[in-house]
Amino acid sequence: QVQLAESGGGLVQAGDSLRLSCVASGRYAMGWFRQAPGREREFVAAISWNGGNTAYADSVVGRFAISKDNAKNTVYLQMNRLKPEDTAVYFCAVSDSPVALKSSLAYRYWGQGTQVTVSS
């Protein structure tokens, strides 16, 4: 069983930045997903096992950056130039695959989520 612990969410204004963190109980390829009220969970970003490859949703390209600190088994999501439409619960997840994948089906373990709210 993989344990995940997310942190870093909060309430910010449009244009601000936030950094989310997720500590895993091991070294894995990991991803970030988000779910807004009344909407399905959607892919945000993913990073491969060794941190060498990343993938992003089109809506966050150029604003968000995913990174890993393998010594700490931690993945980060740096979110810049936040928009109200980024408001959602953000989940980190561990993948069964060593590469960065966009499909939620590739992820076996999920964190409990952290709320990000962006006011206009």
Side-chain angles (χ1 to χ4, degrees):
Q1 184 77 14
V2 176
Q3 305 295 322
L4 297 169
E6 300 128 327
S7 62
L11 171 63
V12 297
Q13 293 186 333
D16 286 351
S17 299
L18 273 178
R19 189 176 79 159
L20 305 183
S21 301
C22 179
V23 182
S25 56
R27 184 181 299 183
Y28 307 95
M30 297 181 70
W32 287 97
F33 291 76
R34 67 187 181 187
Q35 187 167 18
R39 301 187 65 176
E40 294 187 354
R41 188 172 299 186
E42 65 175 3
F43 170 76
V44 176
I47 191 165
S48 60
W49 174 82
N50 62 1
N53 295 101
T54 58
Y56 294 94
D58 290 344
S59 60
V60 306
V61 169
R63 299 190 299 122
F64 291 11
I66 189 170
S67 61
K68 286 179 99 247
D69 183 338
N70 283 330
K72 297 180 180 179
N73 292 332
T74 300
V75 63
Y76 303 99
L77 184 67
Q78 178 66 44
M79 305 185 294
N80 301 322
R81 303 199 308 276
L82 282 160
K83 304 175 181 180
E85 51 263 44
D86 294 318
T87 295
V89 177
Y90 284 70
F91 300 88
C92 69
V94 165
S95 175
D96 288 331
S97 168
V99 300
L101 297 174
K102 296 184 177 182
S103 171
S104 62
L105 297 176
Y107 294 83
R108 182 189 296 257
Y109 300 101
W110 294 80
Q112 293 189 338
T114 184
Q115 176 71 46
V116 172
T117 303
V118 185
S119 64
S120 58

